[in-house]
Amino acid sequence: KALRREKQGLSEQLEELQRAQERMELAHSIETEQVVCRLVELSTEANGLRSQVRVKEHELETNKSSLNKVIQAKQQENQAKEQEMHTKIQAKEQEMHTKIQ
């Protein structure tokens, strides 16, 4: 009879251990699922950020190209003005030289 009680006690302990193990496995499974969900969220967020970076890079390249065109136009304009001023100065010098003679 004592053996039967001991066996019954051990069976109950075994069942309790099995239930505890099942709870631990379930908790681990839930944690794993939560981690996977978070990884998917982060991956989606990272893809969105990469896409935004590509758009910004394209905008910057477009702006850079536009600015370079504006700079070139201004440089040409300045060169033309410089040439014009140089020509005017030469004409004035020639005029003064002619008046002196």
Side-chain angles (χ1 to χ4, degrees), residues 3-15:
L3 208 58
R4 205 179 289 153
R5 260 187 266 131
E6 189 177 337
K7 185 180 175 188
Q8 180 66 31
L10 288 174
S11 290
E12 288 173 4
Q13 283 181 346
L14 180 59
E15 285 178 21

Side-chain angles (χ1 to χ4, degrees), residues 50-66:
R50 276 192 284 274
S51 176
Q52 288 177 13
V53 166
R54 282 192 296 273
V55 168
K56 288 294 179 190
E57 284 174 340
H58 180 70
E59 288 175 10
L60 287 172
E61 284 301 317
T62 302
N63 290 344
K64 181 180 173 184
S65 176
S66 297

Side-chain angles (χ1 to χ4, degrees), residues 8 12 23 26 29 31 35 38 44 47 55-56 58-60 64 67 71-73 82-83 89 101:
Q8 180 66 31
E12 288 173 4
R23 286 192 301 270
L26 180 60
S29 174
E31 287 174 2
V35 168
R38 185 63 182 136
T44 302
N47 287 336
V55 168
K56 288 294 179 190
H58 180 70
E59 288 175 10
L60 287 172
K64 181 180 173 184
L67 284 174
I71 288 169
Q72 283 180 330
E82 203 176 291
Q83 185 62 42
I89 289 170
Q101 290 179 346

Side-chain angles (χ1 to χ4, degrees), residues 89-101:
I89 289 170
Q90 282 182 331
K92 283 288 183 188
E93 286 175 346
Q94 186 65 40
E95 185 183 319
M96 296 291 265
H97 188 67
T98 304
K99 282 184 180 177
I100 290 173
Q101 290 179 346

Side-chain angles (χ1 to χ4, degrees), residues 33-54:
E33 189 174 323
Q34 289 171 338
V35 168
V36 168
C37 287
R38 185 63 182 136
L39 285 173
V40 169
E41 288 173 7
L42 290 172
S43 176
T44 302
E45 187 178 332
N47 287 336
L49 291 173
R50 276 192 284 274
S51 176
Q52 288 177 13
V53 166
R54 282 192 296 273

